[in-house]
Amino acid sequence: MKSKIQIILLSGILFTLSCKSDDNTETPASENPSTGTSVETNPANTNYTPAFPGQTRANAISTTTPYQRTVITSALNSPWGITNLPDGRLLVTEKAGTMRIVTLTGIVSGAITGIPSVNSSGQGGLLGLCIDPQFSSNRMIYWVFSENVAGGTLTSVAKGRLSNNETSIENATVIYRANPSANSTAHYGGRILFDKTGNLLVSTGERSNLATRPLAQTVTAALGKIIRITTNGTPAPGNPIFTQSGALPELYSIGHRNPQGMALHPLTGELWQSEHGPRGGDEINRVQAGANYGWPIITYGIEYGGQAIGSGIQQQNGMEQPVYYWDPVISPSGMTFYSGSRIPEWQNNLFVGALSGTHIARLVISNNRVIGEERLLSGENQRFRDITQGLDEALYAITDSGRLYRIDRL
């Protein structure tokens, strides 16, 4: 053992058998990146058969590059969305209805004012956000929030200009509302990002109620969808055409339950999405324009009470299969692809914040299939709400308890 330790010290590599050390480092459990078993050891809720090998419980893998995780601040209040500003600082939404700017040294700004009021009950609040590609000149910010309206609440999209002194949002305007309203405070979806054409992609939930659940399949409703709109809130040019009568022109894909994560693949530019299942059946989808992702007709989950959902089927012609699913659930939320070079083995991997799973899922993808899964920061006991890659190529993750983590190589 002594000679082994000497070799490690002489080589300058920090290597221990534990995943976490006292100096906030994360070190590989093995030099072999794949164990041939799954990270999930608990029994599934169902006996459903995957549609193809590797659709669930992919081989466990382990990062071999020593890395560290640092809590930059614990002073945030239920943060929900995080994005980069052009100077590398981070803009964060808080569920109750505020935005804050956080420096990479952990200095948290005062609450940014001028944001329309939100309904923060249940799963609602101030949700995902993104900045305009031309932010350096126009200072425009776009965000999703739960809005009180007649008949209940909506998933709504707003935009506004960040003031020069960074204390307020100027001329905040609601540009889109995902109708119809619902008497619910759940399943808002809530992520937003710019696609490669300069238009906005927005995820909406089906609002959870049994009465609204079927609307995920209805093209005259904006619930349970990915929508694609311009920065003025109008349907974006080039959207797919759904042929049913009265189909909304802003629809991009349909058949979603509660999609809380979206990211563009760094090589293909394709949209990938994470989605909460019921009891089992959390999904990762590669979203294609005009496609139907099945909810609630097909699913790998069951009702919370244990009953089958609908006919209890997992496949149907004309409906897409998830690239990957979890059973039991991890409650996937915000996600990002890693395109940095500081940890080469992470390149083009997908990192997904897990809420009930209390970890960050790292998924290795090849030919649009998940071939390996790792659970990062599982010892932190945190609900990871969103994650992004910073301009410095580190990963930054926020948690429901108010922490902001920086994850980077040693």
Side-chain angles (χ1 to χ4, degrees), residues 34 54 58-59 61 364-366 369-373:
S34 175
N59 286 347
I61 53 171
V364 179
I365 296 168
S366 178
R369 293 287 186 263
V370 174
I371 61 171
E373 180 177 3

Side-chain angles (χ1 to χ4, degrees), residues 46 48-51 55 280-281 298-302 314-315 321-322 325 327:
T46 73
Y48 295 154
T49 301
Q55 193 182 22
I298 62 172
T299 177
Y300 286 93
I302 55 177
Q314 292 73 59
Q315 300 180 47
Q321 283 291 306
Y325 73 87
D327 183 10

Side-chain angles (χ1 to χ4, degrees), residues 66-101:
Y67 65 94
Q68 62 184 343
R69 53 96 178 104
T70 305
V71 178
I72 295 177
T73 182
S74 299
L76 295 167
N77 183 14
S78 297
W80 212 94
I82 184 171
T83 195
N84 296 289
L85 291 172
D87 62 4
R89 293 177 300 161
L90 300 162
L91 183 62
V92 177
T93 58
E94 294 178 320
K95 188 175 183 293
T98 55
M99 292 185 194
R100 298 184 191 271
I101 296 172

